[in-house]
Amino acid sequence: MEDFFSLSGKTFLVTGSEGLIGLDLCKRLLEAGADVISCDLKSPTNTSNSDKNSFFECDLTTNKGLREFKDFIRNCGVKINGFVHCAYPRPESWGKLFDEISLDEVSLHLNMQLSSSIILSRIICNYLKINGGGSLVNIASIQGIAAPKFHHYRGTSMSSPIEYSCVKSSIIIMTKWLAKYFKNSNLNINCVSPGGVLDKQLEIFQNNYKSDCNNIGLLKPKNVSYPILFLLSDQAKGISGQNLIVDDGWSL
Ligand SMILES: NC(=O)c1ccc[n+]([C@@H]2O[C@H](COP(=O)([O-])OP(=O)(O)OC[C@H]3O[C@@H](n4cnc5c(N)ncnc54)[C@H](O)[C@@H]3O)[C@@H](O)[C@H]2O)c1
């Protein structure tokens, strides 16, 4: 019988590996026996370079960084079986109110978060195609599939920015576009749309948010990581171009 969910002997590269989701994902991949290449703008705080886990520092929003990324994956000496794009660049204007954000600021968000993801995914998919196939998991969000539940933010200074929703819905259609474009290349391209992840949000927000969920409320990072592990596994090969919503029922 096939080993269920076995990722051992495979190598995965995680962008945004030092973030809330990326850090947990790298840990779960290592626990599942995979080799992990962590990739982030900032150096690791508590991951150490080891035989199983190496680190590559890179700014994925610049031409220079994207060139370095391309050179790195070509020359790193191992076949990378799958990529998870968790990096999320936040310009200073992140979270600015709808009535205050300027044209230049919106353009900057779209450029850093969407344009860079398009070019990065081209680099990744072409690499996988040349190397016999593999998987790519992009990270979208529930904010890309539905309008925000604005009442959750009442009593806080938080908001869910319009440009975030626009970027995330674009990541979902980008994923579908790529899956079809790379038809017959043995590529497995999907995305995950997580609900909010617990990260020191105000209690009032946590409670508001939970009122529209089924059991958990704000997710733990592992609630997002395990479904990604599944999408990276051979058992998910029949899933192509899909957006897996992981939100404890927020969107129902
Ligand atoms: N945290 C949530 O509640 C949540 C919910 C839904 C979706 N998501 C999505 O999941 C993904 C990961 O989110 P997160 O909460 O882990 O974010 P995070 O901010 O904790 O981590 C993002 C990581 O990306 C890195 N990064 C930023 N700019 C970069 C660049 N130019 N080049 C390379 N790396 C760069 C950062 O250093 C950071 O380590 C994002 O796409 C986010 O939109 C998060």
Side-chain angles (χ1 to χ4, degrees):
M1 198 176 94
E2 234 179 287
D3 273 354
F4 187 65
F5 229 111
S6 173
L7 299 176
S8 74
K10 294 193 172 173
T11 300
F12 298 99
L13 186 148
V14 177
T15 71
S17 57
E18 301 312 301
L20 187 62
I21 295 174
L23 202 56
D24 185 80
L25 177 63
C26 291
K27 182 179 157 207
R28 308 287 165 195
L29 282 166
L30 289 165
E31 284 169 2
D35 288 7
V36 177
I37 302 170
S38 303
C39 171
D40 203 288
L41 188 59
K42 59 181 187 203
S43 308
T45 41
N46 51 5
T47 39
S48 56
N49 261 16
S50 70
D51 285 355
K52 303 285 286 175
N53 188 194
S54 56
F55 178 76
F56 171 54
E57 189 171 320
C58 189
D59 181 350
L60 297 168
T61 60
T62 64
N63 283 317
K64 178 173 172 284
L66 287 163
R67 261 197 314 274
E68 287 167 0
F69 183 88
K70 187 174 176 178
D71 290 344
F72 174 82
I73 60 176
R74 280 184 176 177
N75 301 320
C76 66
V78 286
K79 151 109 202 246
I80 303 171
N81 302 93
F83 295 78
V84 184
H85 183 31
C86 281
Y88 192 75
R90 283 170 207 262
E92 262 181 40
S93 54
W94 202 92
K96 225 170 166 180
L97 296 178
F98 178 54
D99 284 325
E100 287 171 9
I101 195 155
S102 70
L103 175 63
D104 285 350
E105 287 165 340
V106 171
S107 304
L108 181 65
H109 285 261
L110 298 185
N111 194 27
M112 289 179 81
Q113 291 147 7
L114 180 58
S115 309
S116 64
S117 296
I118 292 173
I119 303 301
L120 182 72
S121 59
R122 183 177 70 196
I123 293 170
I124 290 172
C125 293
N126 282 326
Y127 166 89
L128 290 172
K129 185 176 172 182
I130 292 166
N131 287 283
S135 37
L136 166 62
V137 178
N138 290 311
I139 313 293
S141 164
I142 47 168
Q143 305 297 355
I145 60 161
K149 299 194 195 300
F150 289 111
H151 58 281
H152 289 176
Y153 302 93
R154 268 185 220 136
T156 79
S157 60
M158 297 163 64
S159 75
S160 186
I162 191 166
E163 63 281 5
Y164 185 71
S165 293
C166 293
V167 166
K168 291 306 184 180
S169 64
S170 299
I171 296 290
I172 295 168
I173 194 63
M174 179 187 85
T175 300
K176 292 180 187 296
W177 193 100
L178 290 167
K180 207 54 158 176
Y181 186 82
F182 284 96
K183 184 180 173 186
N184 293 329
S185 305
N186 198 26
L187 262 66
N188 207 215
I189 306 169
N190 290 291
C191 70
V192 169
S193 280
V197 180
L198 186 62
D199 185 25
K200 304 187 196 109
Q201 291 92 341
L202 289 176
E203 204 177 325
I204 183 174
F205 175 77
Q206 292 185 34
N207 293 335
N208 291 344
Y209 185 94
K210 192 169 182 183
S211 67
D212 277 308
C213 297
N214 289 346
N215 296 296
I216 307 171
L218 287 169
L219 302 168
K220 294 194 170 70
K222 69 176 180 184
N223 298 132
V224 182
S225 297
Y226 287 126
I228 296 175
L229 260 60
F230 169 63
L231 287 177
L232 291 171
S233 74
D234 286 345
Q235 283 75 17
K237 276 204 183 298
I239 304 175
S240 183
Q242 297 303 307
N243 175 37
L244 179 57
I245 298 167
V246 182
D247 70 349
D248 188 33
W250 179 96
S251 55
L252 294 178

